Amino acid sequence: MYPFYKYVADALNNENKFLAWNVWKIIVNLTAVDDGAMWNMVSDKFYASLNSEFITEFSIACDCAERIIVNKSDESEKILNVLKNINNRIFKIGGEISESSLAVAKEKVDQLLEKIIAL
């Protein structure tokens, strides 16, 4: 799979963010064998998703963050800096602010932090 990383990464350009979920899972698993060059191809997209106002994109990135922290420890501070501001975030569904999405996001962050602490 690693030799075809670029083609896998190109799948992130799909407008359907739910399809991106599986692509991100493949990518983060490949970070274990990446020397950094491949991660650099997609890291901006990862951080854009982690900072997204759309709960689907944020959820995908949050689900992948643990594996990235494990495989790319130099990314941990940057990831944690984004996550620590969760209380100041706004999430939208259909263009409308969604308080329930913020609650879901906070729960995802709490679960991720518990996993990281357990490492």
Side-chain angles (χ1 to χ4, degrees):
M1 191 66 139
Y2 191 75
F4 302 101
Y5 192 95
K6 182 187 178 319
Y7 300 107
V8 173
D10 284 346
L12 293 173
N13 297 328
N14 191 311
E15 290 297 314
N16 186 329
K17 299 306 176 194
F18 287 106
L19 293 177
W21 209 300
N22 289 323
V23 174
W24 275 118
K25 294 294 185 175
I26 292 168
I27 288 171
V28 297
N29 284 323
L30 290 173
T31 60
V33 296
D34 180 34
D35 64 2
M38 298 302 173
W39 170 248
N40 290 338
M41 288 173 48
V42 297
S43 64
D44 287 345
K45 290 180 183 180
F46 170 76
Y47 287 107
S49 293
L50 197 61
N51 283 296
S52 177
E53 66 183 16
F54 301 104
I55 192 66
T56 52
E57 283 188 280
F58 173 81
S59 292
I60 293 165
C62 199
D63 285 350
C64 294
E66 176 189 4
R67 179 89 4 242
I68 294 168
I69 289 170
V70 168
N71 294 336
K72 300 283 182 201
S73 59
D74 54 320
E75 298 290 328
S76 61
E77 185 176 346
K78 190 173 180 181
I79 292 170
L80 293 174
N81 282 338
V82 172
L83 298 179
K84 75 179 181 182
N85 291 317
I86 192 66
N87 291 323
N88 300 322
R89 300 278 303 272
I90 293 172
F91 291 93
K92 296 181 180 179
I93 296 179
E96 300 288 324
I97 293 175
S98 171
E99 293 297 325
S100 60
S101 291
L102 178 58
V104 168
K106 287 179 181 179
E107 185 175 326
K108 290 190 85 57
V109 169
D110 288 343
Q111 290 171 354
L112 174 61
L113 293 175
E114 285 176 17
K115 289 179 184 179
I116 292 169
I117 290 169
L119 294 175

